[in-house]
Amino acid sequence: MIELRDLTKQFDSFTAVDSLNLTIETGEFFGLLGPNGAGKTTTIGLLSTLLLPTRGEIRIDGKVLNRKTPDLKQQISVITQEYSMRQDMNMDEIMEYQGRLYFMPLKKIRARTEELLEFAGLRDFRKRSVRKLSGGMKRKLMVCRALLTEPKILLLDEPTAGMDALSRRQMWNLLRKLNEQNLTILLTTHYMEEAQSLCGRVALMDRGKLEEVNTPKGLIASLGAYAVDETTAEGVQSRFFQEREEAISYLSGKKGRLSLRDTTLEDVFVERAGRHLS
């Protein structure tokens, strides 16, 4: 279990994370959503101990996390937005280098490498240097590297940024399999479809504050399960309805270019952003 208690991070006079109180259960797939500058990446930095809180604390299974708790830190792995691997190394070398940083026995490094590359569908490319890998392969290799030490918590900061649609869905399938093994995953993403598909719960953040925590279905239900889109000269305007019959009744009384669809998490995000998130 991850507990954030009054977690705050200030940079001079700027408050990047403001009094966060949040509990993430063991084995949960949790999403942090918000516009640029909301404090998502700073929260990941605090959880990884790359940053230290100005106030408040983080607890892992009841124990306070800080830079002097290596037993807790080893339970956490992080995958950042940036590719952080040497371009001249191949996959086996990347994995061995990571394992040696954690003083893992070479025999265990090689066994885990075999297992993880097979799991991620990368075994046939293991001798290819990083610079010759596709973007999707690099992301998957970063996941394998993060899992080498058998962490209990995986922090993902926009792990599919810049990936094509097929690679993104392959990554989703990989993350689902990991979560099924009771790995706790915390994800930040700008892809609302990704959060809706993967996360059991999501938190909406803005300006460092926690605005709302709910399931994707719960957030969608709060807006309305059905959306009617009307195309006008000003663009597409959406209206939301709790009942399908209400939406159909509204459609029947209107003329012009209208369409009926299910409401998505992206609709919720756009609606909240327009009203109070930014």
Side-chain angles (χ1 to χ4, degrees), residues 71-172:
D71 57 323
L72 295 182
K73 288 178 63 177
Q74 287 185 3
Q75 295 182 28
I76 303 169
S77 277
V78 187
I79 299 175
T80 60
Q81 299 176 37
E82 299 81 16
Y83 297 121
S84 55
M85 299 178 292
R86 278 186 51 169
Q87 297 296 302
D88 59 333
M89 285 184 170
N90 63 35
M91 294 187 184
D92 284 335
E93 291 167 340
I94 290 287
M95 298 293 279
E96 182 174 336
Y97 182 75
Q98 180 74 0
R100 287 183 180 276
L101 288 175
Y102 283 83
F103 304 103
M104 291 175 64
L106 185 58
K107 186 176 180 180
K108 184 172 183 179
I109 293 172
R110 289 176 175 169
R112 282 287 291 162
T113 296
E114 194 72 24
E115 177 186 343
L116 290 166
L117 294 184
E118 177 68 29
F119 178 72
L122 294 175
R123 195 160 58 87
D124 292 343
F125 308 96
R126 64 193 312 158
K127 297 303 180 184
R128 190 179 294 184
S129 65
V130 171
R131 67 166 53 92
K132 294 181 180 178
L133 299 176
S134 68
M137 287 180 182
K138 289 179 183 177
R139 291 289 183 191
K140 286 198 242 183
L141 179 56
M142 288 176 70
V143 172
C144 291
R145 184 181 65 175
L147 295 174
L148 184 66
T149 56
E150 299 178 288
K152 295 181 180 179
I153 298 167
L154 187 61
L155 308 177
L156 303 167
D157 193 12
E158 298 188 39
T160 59
M163 291 174 67
D164 61 67
L166 177 59
S167 297
R168 188 179 304 131
R169 289 184 182 274
Q170 289 175 340
M171 179 65 82
W172 294 0

Side-chain angles (χ1 to χ4, degrees), residues 18-30:
D18 192 354
S19 303
L20 253 60
N21 287 284
L22 178 66
T23 298
I24 299 170
E25 299 294 337
T26 300
E28 189 170 10
F29 203 134
F30 194 92

Side-chain angles (χ1 to χ4, degrees), residues 174-230:
L174 180 60
L175 295 176
R176 284 193 189 98
K177 289 177 184 177
L178 292 172
N179 186 236
E180 287 168 3
Q181 297 175 7
N182 209 41
L183 182 68
T184 304
I185 300 178
L186 176 60
L187 168 77
T188 77
T189 181
H190 284 298
Y191 297 113
M192 296 300 111
E193 181 190 3
E194 184 165 274
Q196 185 172 337
S197 173
L198 294 174
C199 298
R201 288 191 304 154
V202 297
L204 299 179
M205 286 186 69
D206 183 46
R207 299 174 188 174
K209 288 184 176 292
L210 204 60
E211 296 284 344
E212 191 170 358
V213 180
N214 205 334
T215 64
K217 286 184 178 179
L219 287 170
I220 289 168
S222 70
L223 186 61
Y226 300 96
V228 173
D229 294 333
E230 181 176 4

